[in-house]
Amino acid sequence: SVLPRGDQCVTRNSLYTKTEQPGRFSYTSPRWGSKHNIHVVETNYEEYALVATQISKSSGPSTMVLLYSRTKELSPERLEMFTQFSREQGLTDDEILILPQTGEAGSMGR
């Protein structure tokens, strides 16, 4: 994945391991030792993928919800689906971020 870091973009590679359940993967951070349980919640493969991650680390559990898109713009319905699902996972509106379109590398994801 490509992530914005200040005025640069950095590439991060992570090796996810398939579990016995379809659409579910696991990952352990070699740097932090945190355990990640990843679930592809919904996708249509051509437009978007909604992914939820439960993270277990020494400071306690956390949840991350990501909406990946193959285009710079998503329909309001997809964005609402992302927001609603994030709320259902316990995230507050202050914790739900939708990045603005900037035309730079950071605009590739939401």
Side-chain angles (χ1 to χ4, degrees):
S1 58
V2 179
L3 305 167
R5 293 282 186 246
D7 61 348
Q8 298 179 2
C9 290
V10 296
T11 301
R12 183 181 80 184
N13 293 313
S14 302
L15 179 61
Y16 289 7
T17 303
K18 286 183 184 181
T19 68
E20 293 180 7
Q21 296 177 315
R24 294 190 181 258
F25 304 85
S26 65
Y27 167 74
T28 300
S29 169
R31 182 173 184 182
W32 306 110
S34 56
K35 297 186 184 308
H36 302 235
N37 292 312
I38 301 103
H39 176 207
V40 179
V41 176
E42 183 175 315
T43 183
N44 69 3
Y45 299 99
E46 300 299 321
E47 181 186 1
Y48 73 96
L50 180 63
V51 179
T53 303
Q54 299 297 320
I55 304 167
S56 299
K57 49 189 174 182
S58 60
S59 60
S62 62
T63 299
M64 179 171 55
V65 177
L66 298 168
L67 179 61
Y68 293 102
S69 174
R70 293 190 181 268
T71 63
K72 287 186 179 184
E73 291 188 35
L74 279 166
S75 69
E77 293 81 17
R78 293 283 179 246
L79 294 174
E80 178 58 30
M81 173 198 65
F82 165 73
T83 301
Q84 184 59 37
F85 181 78
S86 297
R87 288 177 183 142
E88 290 169 4
Q89 302 311 299
L91 298 172
T92 66
D93 287 346
D94 288 341
E95 296 169 322
I96 300 170
L97 303 174
I98 298 176
L99 300 176
Q101 293 181 17
T102 63
E104 299 172 5
S107 67
M108 294 174 61
R110 290 189 177 267

